Amino acid sequence: MKTFVRTLLLSSLVLAASAVAAPAQAPLDLHNSSEVVAKQLQKINKELADGETYSEISVENRSKVREALGRITAALDAAGGRPLTAEAETQAFNDQEVVNTLLTGAKEDSRVVCEREKQMGSNRITSKCMTVAERRRLREQGERATRDLSQRQLQFDPRGGQ
């Protein structure tokens, strides 16, 4: 029985390690067949519209992604199922990099992280959930407020300063 438990534990650790080590799949891969690429483009457009998957993407980056997707779609439509010309292929792969870079960052920033914390003056534990980008903005605001406060203190020193 102990051997079985050890084997089970070891195999679950190996599975967990392989899941962590697996790289995330890019949203768009033009090396696939045209049917797969069409499904990827459809999925990206759906996720951009759902308001959750890429909720933290800026308006500017959303516009860049949509423009790149438009150029890729136009190039694929113009090719009509035939291979892209060298110039069109280069442009399509450059656009693919723009799309993948912006969407991967936005998806990471849009990930919701929850913390369980006790409220001040209470023993009740509550969950506080924010996106990664919201947490970063709050941290940066706190750092900026601390820096501003220390600058004000340096400007007004009651012991002989201004």
Side-chain angles (χ1 to χ4, degrees):
M1 183 68 173
K2 285 184 180 181
T3 308
F4 174 73
V5 172
R6 286 183 188 157
T7 304
L8 185 63
L9 182 61
L10 182 61
S11 62
S12 65
L13 286 173
V14 169
L15 267 171
S18 66
V20 170
Q25 187 176 0
L28 182 60
D29 185 2
L30 295 176
H31 290 102
N32 291 312
S33 68
S34 58
E35 294 84 24
V36 172
V37 171
K39 287 180 183 176
Q40 289 175 343
L41 292 170
Q42 186 178 26
K43 181 180 178 191
I44 290 169
N45 283 317
K46 180 182 171 196
E47 289 176 341
L48 277 171
D50 72 11
E52 289 182 20
T53 309
Y54 301 113
S55 63
E56 290 292 339
I57 192 168
S58 69
V59 174
E60 179 184 353
N61 285 346
R62 182 182 299 270
S63 176
K64 287 180 183 178
V65 167
R66 289 206 186 274
E67 289 170 6
L69 291 175
R71 287 190 299 269
I72 290 170
T73 302
L76 293 175
D77 288 347
R82 295 183 311 275
L84 296 173
T85 64
E87 184 179 325
E89 184 178 41
T90 301
Q91 180 62 45
F93 280 107
N94 288 340
D95 285 334
Q96 172 188 293
E97 285 304 308
V98 168
V99 169
N100 287 340
T101 300
L102 294 176
L103 292 183
T104 301
K107 191 169 189 173
E108 178 59 29
D109 284 348
S110 301
R111 190 171 50 90
V112 176
V113 178
C114 296
E115 286 183 341
R116 294 175 49 84
E117 58 184 34
K118 281 186 181 180
Q119 291 184 343
M120 185 89 73
S122 171
N123 286 330
R124 197 174 109 204
I125 296 176
T126 60
S127 291
K128 188 174 186 179
C129 299
M130 290 185 274
T131 65
V132 171
E134 288 172 327
R135 292 168 59 99
R136 182 176 46 246
R137 283 192 294 268
L138 280 175
R139 184 184 65 242
E140 289 170 355
Q141 285 174 356
E143 290 171 355
R144 195 170 25 256
T146 303
R147 193 173 38 252
D148 291 347
L149 181 62
S150 65
Q151 288 297 322
R152 279 189 227 127
Q153 288 175 344
L154 288 174
Q155 288 174 356
F156 178 76
D157 184 4
R159 293 172 280 160
Q162 292 179 356

